[in-house]
Amino acid sequence: MPRGDDRQFTRALAEAAVANDYVIDSQDMHEFAAHQLREYKQQYEALEARRVAITGPMNIALRNVNALFKPVMDRLDEASRTLRSRMLDWTRKEQQRIAEENAARERAARATREALEARAREAAQQGKHEEAHALTQGAAVMSAPVVPLKVAAVAGVSTRTNWTAECTDLAALVAYVAEHPEYLNLLQANQQALTALAKAQKTALAIPGVRAFDRGSVAIRK
């Protein structure tokens, strides 16, 4: 809270409280309000000059401190990103290699399983029921072991999944959302572009779902 014994603060707060009591219902009141706005601006600029006189040296000191540490800390961040990227690249390659090896083992196991099943059918056809049963049992338990990725554990460092998504075809996304409005939150209007269109076209702007209007503004000059 502002200091209660500061005359500049006290005057500014008292002046600001007047705004709530203004009722602009005539040319005179409009003119009074305009004069009050100029007074607000002058007081604001005076307070800002006083604030900057205090914070200016502090900001300079802060910038100097940041300039001292930033190059070294940025280099550490860059080095960290480099190692993270290379660790993830290795992890992906290892996952692919292990997945391919697991798939190869599964194909071999499936081939063995199918061969045992074929032999079981042949034995059954020949009346060798015990042999057929044993072969069937062997085929049922024939499977390849799934080997997981093993990464050396280091305290405080771990690799985990981190799924994300990116838009690769905006037109396709828009078309999909048009058919599935429950995903409307995936799209966001470009307010900056809409404002530029409104300034250029004004009342001529006619785009479904868009309303152009004059918000108005009051400029204050010294």
Side-chain angles (χ1 to χ4, degrees), residues 26 36-37 42 57 65 93 111 123 126 136 153 160 174-175 179 181 195 200:
S26 66
Q36 187 68 62
L37 276 176
Q42 291 170 3
V65 171
K93 291 177 181 178
Q126 296 175 357
T136 300
R160 58 181 184 274
V174 171
E179 296 180 358
T195 299

Side-chain angles (χ1 to χ4, degrees), residues 95 98-107 109 142-150:
Q95 288 173 335
I98 291 173
E100 291 173 352
E101 291 178 356
N102 284 336
R105 283 190 290 270
E106 178 54 33
R107 287 194 298 271
M142 178 58 62
S143 63
V146 177
V147 179
L149 172 64
K150 294 182 180 180

Side-chain angles (χ1 to χ4, degrees), residues 111-128:
T112 301
R113 187 166 57 249
E114 291 174 350
L116 289 174
E117 290 171 348
R119 288 175 57 191
R121 289 193 296 271
E122 183 179 352
Q125 290 174 355
Q126 296 175 357
K128 302 176 181 179

